[in-house]
């Protein structure tokens, strides 16, 4: 709120600080310290407003992150996954895609986050014994809590932090993806696709669907066909999973595992 003009103002720095505080609360290991706002002038920066048309922005303010871009990306991946699995569809910290939004709506409407149905695992040739072990691990309540609720090792975060390093793969990442794929098959939503979905604008969809579920107005074309009462991929439910990536990672690390 500006005391001089008596109006509410907005700046991108506000969103950046909200994002930092969210990460600080939920993922302290991925957070960074607060930094001062830097001010300057950019003669080529203009904005368009319905009231006044094209306007020069004047003084510019930036809120630089004192950490690497890998940590920033990792924190955003972690925040997105947390919001999806807790069903916080009204949170504007991230931009929701249709698949991520479908998962968040499901999580919001189903308090029981456990695996609701067993899912098969394809036999890739003499892998029946290890498939039986994986089924036992997947249905262990403690491991479900670690990977699906506490998110001890979000694979997208690890991928972001490993970017540019010599470590091209991670066994725990593959196990995390296995839990996500299994859970997604049990509820009928492609959780992996929702996690890897690109950021897209969603204000129109929120105004038409989330804030007013009974609205008859059509949502943005990017979200056409998706409503709160409609599953996006009902044919996906119960589809067997293929643990080829996990098995390959196990075989590569067989000596260290033994």
């Amino acid at each position: 709120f500006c005391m001089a003009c008596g109006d509410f103002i907005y700046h991108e720095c506000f969103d950046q600080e909200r994002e930092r505080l969210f990460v600080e609360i939920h993922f302290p290991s991925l957070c960074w310290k607060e930094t001062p706002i830097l001010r300057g002038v950019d003669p080529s920066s203009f904005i368009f407003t319905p009231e006044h048309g094209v306007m020069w922005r004047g003084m510019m303010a930036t809120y630089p992150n004192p950490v690497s871009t890998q940590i920033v990306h990792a924190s955003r991946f972690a925040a997105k996954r947390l919001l999806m699995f807790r069903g916080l569809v009204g949170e504007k910290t991230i931009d929701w895609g249709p698949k991520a939004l479908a998962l968040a709506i499901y999580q919001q409407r189903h308090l029981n986050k456990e695996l609701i149905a067993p899912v098969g695992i394809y036999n890739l040739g003499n892998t029946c014994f290890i498939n039986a072990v994986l089924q036992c691990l997947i249905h262990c309540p403690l491991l479900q809590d670690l990977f699906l609720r506490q998110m001890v090792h979000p694979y997208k975060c690890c991928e972001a932090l490993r970017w540019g390093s010599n470590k091209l793969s991670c066994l725990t990442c593959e196990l995390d993806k296995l839990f996500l794929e299994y859970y997604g098959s049990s509820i009928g939503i492609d959780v992996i696709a929702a996690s890897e979905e690109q950021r897209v604008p969603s204000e129109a969809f929120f105004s038409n669907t989330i804030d007013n579920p009974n609205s008859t107005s059509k949502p943005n074309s990017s979200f056409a066909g998706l409503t709160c009462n409609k599953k996006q991929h009902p044919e996906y439910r119960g589809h067997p999973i293929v643990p080829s990536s996990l098995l390959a990672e196990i075989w590569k690390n067989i000596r260290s595992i033994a």
Side-chain angles (χ1 to χ4, degrees):
F1 185 80
C2 178
M3 299 297 293
C5 62
D7 195 6
F8 287 95
I9 60 175
Y10 165 79
H11 197 277
E12 294 87 345
C13 294
F14 299 157
D15 284 341
Q16 290 181 258
E17 178 60 12
R18 286 186 66 233
E19 181 182 48
R20 191 194 67 81
L21 292 175
F22 184 88
V23 175
E24 183 179 27
I25 294 173
H26 299 284
F27 302 97
S29 61
L30 295 174
C31 188
W32 53 91
K33 295 182 179 180
E34 183 181 2
T35 58
I37 295 178
L38 303 180
R39 298 184 180 276
V41 178
D42 184 2
S44 62
S45 180
F46 294 87
I47 60 173
F48 177 81
T49 63
E51 298 84 5
H52 305 94
V54 179
M55 298 180 61
W56 179 53
R57 298 189 66 174
M59 292 292 295
M60 299 290 295
T62 58
Y63 193 49
N65 295 321
V67 293
S68 64
T69 55
Q70 287 94 329
I71 295 180
V72 175
H73 290 320
S75 65
R76 288 173 178 170
F77 288 136
K80 176 181 179 180
R81 180 162 163 180
L82 178 68
L83 295 172
M84 287 193 305
F85 271 81
R86 292 192 178 179
L88 302 176
V89 295
E91 176 59 49
K92 297 297 183 68
T93 304
I94 65 171
D95 292 326
W96 297 88
K99 296 177 182 178
L101 190 58
L103 175 61
I105 292 174
Y106 177 89
Q107 294 293 101
Q108 185 185 65
R109 296 191 170 193
H110 297 78
L111 298 179
N112 182 14
K113 306 296 193 301
E114 298 179 356
L115 299 175
I116 61 176
V119 177
I121 301 179
Y122 278 112
N123 190 331
L124 303 179
N126 295 327
T127 60
C128 51
F129 288 102
I130 195 170
N131 285 356
V133 173
L134 291 178
Q135 289 281 13
C136 294
L137 292 176
I138 291 172
H139 285 84
C140 176
L142 178 60
L143 291 179
Q144 288 185 23
D145 182 69
L146 288 175
F147 283 96
L148 297 179
R149 299 179 187 85
Q150 298 185 27
M151 296 180 291
V152 293
H153 192 93
Y155 78 95
K156 291 292 291 183
C157 298
C158 185
E159 288 180 355
L161 296 175
R162 284 189 285 110
W163 186 84
S165 66
N166 295 327
K167 189 175 182 181
L168 302 178
S169 59
C170 173
L171 179 59
T172 312
C173 285
E174 298 301 332
L175 189 59
D176 181 56
K177 286 192 283 188
L178 180 71
F179 271 90
L180 292 180
E181 187 176 1
Y182 200 102
Y183 180 70
S185 180
S186 69
I187 65 176
I189 298 175
D190 193 341
V191 178
I192 297 291
S195 301
E196 298 181 352
E197 194 172 33
Q198 297 294 323
R199 295 161 63 94
V200 295
S202 56
E203 289 80 0
F205 182 83
F206 274 104
S207 62
N208 291 335
T209 307
I210 302 302
D211 297 333
N212 185 11
N214 298 321
S215 174
T216 58
S217 59
K218 294 183 179 181
N220 184 281
S221 59
S222 301
F223 301 92
L226 175 63
T227 63
C228 295
N229 299 316
K230 185 177 181 180
K231 296 183 178 64
Q232 190 174 10
H233 297 293
E235 70 278 1
Y236 187 78
R237 174 171 292 179
H239 193 278
I241 64 176
V242 182
S244 56
S245 298
L246 175 63
L247 296 179
E249 192 64 26
I250 291 175
W251 291 328
K252 286 192 297 184
N253 296 274
I254 192 66
R255 292 184 180 180
S256 59
I257 293 176

